[in-house]
Structure formats: structure tokens, C-alpha cells
Amino acid sequence: METPASAEPESPAPRRSGVEAGSGPVSEAGWAPALAICTGGAALTGAYARLAVRSLAPSGATLADLAVVSGVFLVVLAGLAAWTRRGARPLPSSLILGFAVLFHAIGLAGAPILEDDPARYRLDGWVFAERGSPYGIAPERFFDVDVPLDVEALLDEVNHPAIPTIYGPTLQWIFRGAHAVAGTALWPIQAAMALGSLALLWLVRRDASPLALAFLAWHPLWIKEFAFTAHPDALAVALLLAAETVRRRNAIAAGGLLGLAVGAKLFAVLALPWIIGRAPRAALAFGATLAALYAPFLATLLAPSEAPDPHAAMGLAWIFNAPAHVLLTPILGTLGARGLLALGALLFLGALLLRDARRGALGHAFPGQAVFGTMLFALPVLNPWYVIWPLAWWARRPTAWLATASVVVLASYAHGLHLEREGLDAYVVPLPVLAFETAAVAIAGLWDARRGPRRTGAARFDQSRSL
């Protein structure tokens, strides 16, 4: 993935009236925009329903099924973009969000697609509920232990069984709550993550034009990862965006929400200087929240363990869908490539932080697209759902590079585990796929740099912002 083409502040857009923004009742916008939304929404409803049926088949949904949904999505968005270019009445955001709720409901009726991470979520819930803290315990420790049949099935599915869980305490409490509701069933976790995803869309809508909202709310990446597959990143980003939203009104609430976000995913710590700013109450609330989250697990987190540290394993040993690492590792070695890219990212983020500090912008708008876009560039493991981190701030300043990345990153599911090609190891993305992703994002990034995001094809996403 390429670095962001711009690191300008991503201030929330000025609010406009409901009629201008297309967020009022359908009658205010007229029947034609509603018909456009309903036509596109109906097409995607059929596509997601088909994907749900396919996901429940014994063989599960395939790469081809995901490609079909992505194709329908691109055709629908092209049609809505054409409507917007005509200068017609704004599209009704209420209907866009209504279809987003429907798509999430369809995802809840389906099963995880091309992913085995949900087995770890369910196993963590069982370990937490039945054995105590899930930290420091590798799933392989239960291979020779009598466990219930449903847990035995999870042990067969879980990936990297020699490595303990990496998921933070905010998520562990959700996993335990889900276990209390339905044992090792996935649906309570799916429901929690789908609600987090919808909450994120509700927060994003304030800064999004109707077309940008449709791009995000109907996106196959969004629906597949957070409704079907129950990845927790949308929930973590929703907590972070909520912290930014309330920061100037309630510093204590902002600190607490940021603590919950970091407790869900450590990526959120990158927002710390911008959210906390110079507010001691926010800092105290942040620290107190993290302390409360981690306190029940301190004994196992600090105890020596024979199992590998999950963060070290991911950060130092693995490479997945990371073109910069694939290019530099043969030249500089594993540590050299990681060190160089980490240093470059830290220097860029430091310069961004210094700029905003001089402008007095800390504690105000958080440049999430620039910060988390840089993170994507430096990560040695770039899972598709990580793109949600900068994407949540994309509507404030639409860019072609990130819109392109959000679509082509789905190609990374064409790796060794799903292709079953001789000589291709599991989780290894073939070089042609990496080259396709990199070239597409690079071309889009050059387009941004040459024309500017306000004048690119992404500019049409920036019209008629909604409430």
C-alpha cells in the first residue's frame, strides 16, 4: 500500500441542511433519488443474500463469490456516481443507512467468509469463562486435554495454535459475555461487531456526502469483515471516533472511550496525542480505563510463559500482503526492513504531530487518514480489515488512493490457503496479486498527488455532505 498523498488536517465538514444533504425524509428529496438508492440497494441485497447462502454451504463461500459481490458493488456505485454528476437532487442518506442495516442483518445470517479468526474469538470466550485469563495460554495446550466437543471443534479450526491470543481486554470481556449468552456459538460476537460497525457508520455520516456514505456503508469490505466474519476493528474504530467526537465537550468521556479503543486494538494508541492533547482529565480517564481493563489479567500477562509472545510473532516473524516488506526484506533482512519502515513511519508521524502542535490543532481534528494510512504502509502484516482504520476518516477528505486500496485489498484473500497451489505456502500472497494491489494504489496515489483530492474522481464523493 502507498502512503497517503496528503497529510492535511481532516477537519469535519460544515454541517448543511437536511434537504441539501439528502438526509431528511424521502419526500423532501423526491422519489427519483429514493428510486436510485432502492434500485442499487436491491441489487446489493440480492448479491449479499447469495453470499450468505454460499457461506453456509459445506465448502463455504469462495473467492469467486466475493468477486461477484465486489463487481455488483462497483456497478452500483458507478450508477450512483453518474446520478450525482447529473447535479440531480441529493441521494437520501436515511435510505442508504437503512440498506446498510439490512446488509448487516444478512451478514449475521451467514457464516465467516475465507477466515478462521472467529474460532479464536469463541475459544477465548470459553477459556476466559471456564479456565480464567486467556492470556499466555496457547490453544495447543488443550490438544491433549478432555474438553467439550464444541471446544474440540474450535481447536481444529483455530489458526497458529502455538501462539496465545493477541486480542485486548475490551474484546475479551465481549467474548466472555457472548459465551455466557450462547456458549461457543458465534452469533453473539457477530451481533456485537455488527453493532459496532453500524455505530461507526452512524458517526461517519456527519462528515460524509450521501455518495461517500453509500461507498462506505455498502462496501463489500465493510459488510464481509464486520457482519459476516465478526472482525473487531470496526468496533475499535467506532470507540476511537466517538472519543474524537466528544473530546471538546467532555474530556473525561473522551479519555475513557480512547482507553476502551486501545483495549480493543493497540492501533488506536496512535491517536493518543491528538485525542488527549493538553487535557489532564482526558489523560487520567484514559489511564484509569486501561488500568481497569488490564487489572484482572495482570497476573497472567506478567507471568513467564513458554509460549511465544503474539505481538512479537506478528511484528517480527510474519509477513502478509505487505509489498514494502516483500521488496526490502531480501535486501535488508527481516529486522532491517522492519526497522527502516518503522523509522520512516515514526518520522512522518512525528512531523505530522509537530505540525499540528504548532497549529494548536491537538485536541481538535484528528488526521486519521494520514496517521493510519502511514501505519498500513509500515505494517508487516496487512490484513484486509485493517483498511477500516484510515477509511473511517476518508469521508472528510476523499482520496483516490484509499478508495482504491479498500477495493483491491480484497484480492489478498487469493493466498496459499485458498488457492491450494503447489509450492505456495498458506497465507502467502502470490507476487502477481501483490503487484496488482501495489500498482492500483500507486496509480491512484499519483492521481491524487497530481490533481489534488478535490479535483480527482474522488471529488464527487465530497459533494452535498450529510448531517
Side-chain angles (χ1 to χ4, degrees):
M1 299 295 168
E2 296 296 313
T3 52
S6 172
E8 290 300 309
E10 294 162 16
S11 301
R15 295 177 62 176
R16 303 184 182 181
S17 70
V19 177
E20 283 187 338
S23 59
V26 171
S27 58
E28 295 181 3
W31 63 267
L35 180 61
I37 289 296
C38 289
T39 301
L44 275 171
T45 298
Y48 283 125
R50 177 184 180 276
L51 187 64
V53 171
R54 295 285 294 162
S55 73
L56 295 170
S59 58
T62 64
L63 291 168
D65 296 322
L66 189 58
V68 168
V69 172
S70 299
V72 173
F73 168 74
L74 291 175
V75 171
V76 167
L77 259 291
L80 295 181
W83 172 274
T84 302
R85 281 200 306 271
R86 290 174 50 199
R89 290 183 177 181
L91 302 167
S93 296
S94 55
L95 279 178
I96 294 171
L97 289 174
F99 273 106
V101 173
L102 176 60
F103 300 157
H104 280 73
I106 292 172
L108 291 178
I113 297 169
L114 302 174
E115 273 296 328
D116 47 20
D117 283 353
R120 176 78 72 157
Y121 311 156
R122 297 151 67 193
L123 183 64
D124 280 1
W126 175 79
V127 174
F128 192 1
E130 303 295 335
R131 303 297 175 99
S133 171
Y135 293 112
I137 303 174
E140 66 180 8
R141 283 184 53 180
F142 299 106
F143 284 176
D144 298 322
V145 177
D146 288 334
V147 295
L149 290 178
D150 56 341
V151 176
E152 189 174 325
L154 293 179
L155 291 172
D156 290 337
E157 295 177 35
V158 73
N159 59 33
H160 304 293
I163 298 176
T165 186
I166 198 172
Y167 299 108
T170 302
L171 300 178
Q172 294 300 340
W173 287 107
I174 293 174
F175 299 158
R176 179 169 181 171
H179 186 274
V181 170
T184 58
L186 179 60
W187 70 262
I189 300 176
Q190 277 183 299
M193 300 313 163
L195 287 174
S197 172
L198 290 170
L200 179 56
L201 288 171
W202 182 255
L203 291 166
V204 166
R205 87 197 191 285
R206 294 173 58 91
D207 302 320
S209 70
L211 183 58
L213 184 62
F215 178 80
L216 297 173
W218 296 3
H219 203 305
L221 177 73
W222 206 296
I223 304 302
K224 182 263 181 208
E225 301 298 355
F226 310 123
F228 280 91
T229 309
H231 283 300
D233 292 68
L235 173 64
V237 178
L239 290 168
L240 176 55
L241 192 55
E244 183 195 16
T245 301
V246 304
R247 166 65 178 77
R248 282 183 281 181
R249 299 196 303 272
N250 191 327
I252 293 176
L257 288 165
L258 179 60
L260 290 172
V262 173
K265 271 300 188 73
L266 285 177
F267 293 164
V269 79
L270 293 176
L272 180 64
W274 283 272
I275 303 299
I276 298 299
R278 297 181 177 87
R281 289 185 300 171
L284 287 173
F286 171 73
T289 301
L290 277 186
L293 286 171
Y294 278 98
F297 308 107
L298 278 181
T300 49
L301 284 170
L302 298 177
S305 174
E306 297 180 357
D309 179 83
H311 295 95
M314 178 173 282
L316 299 177
W318 300 347
I319 295 178
F320 175 77
N321 195 39
H325 286 269
V326 171
L327 177 66
L328 292 175
T329 297
I331 302 171
L332 302 177
T334 299
L335 293 180
R338 281 163 166 74
L340 178 63
L341 291 169
L343 178 62
L346 288 173
L347 289 174
F348 177 82
L349 294 178
L352 191 60
L353 179 61
L354 181 61
R355 183 205 68 182
D356 284 354
R358 287 175 173 173
R359 294 178 176 180
L362 299 184
H364 298 278
F366 169 55
Q369 184 175 167
V371 170
F372 292 123
T374 302
M375 178 192 78
L376 294 187
F377 175 74
L379 284 175
V381 175
L382 206 173
N383 290 313
W385 54 95
Y386 290 176
V387 177
I388 191 67
W389 287 85
L391 199 61
W393 284 266
W394 173 84
R396 295 183 184 176
R397 188 177 178 86
T399 53
W401 80 267
L402 186 52
T404 302
S406 71
V407 175
V408 300
V409 73
L410 290 170
S412 66
Y413 278 107
H415 57 69
L417 190 66
H418 301 137
L419 294 177
E420 298 182 354
R421 185 180 301 170
E422 186 175 351
L424 186 64
D425 293 337
Y427 305 110
V428 173
V429 180
L431 287 178
V433 175
L434 280 175
F436 162 70
E437 291 182 83
T438 304
V441 177
I443 291 170
L446 289 173
W447 183 261
D448 283 334
R450 179 184 175 190
R451 303 292 297 276
R454 301 287 179 178
R455 296 176 59 196
T456 65
R460 67 190 60 141
F461 286 99
D462 201 33
Q463 301 168 0
S464 302
R465 293 187 182 274
S466 62
L467 290 173

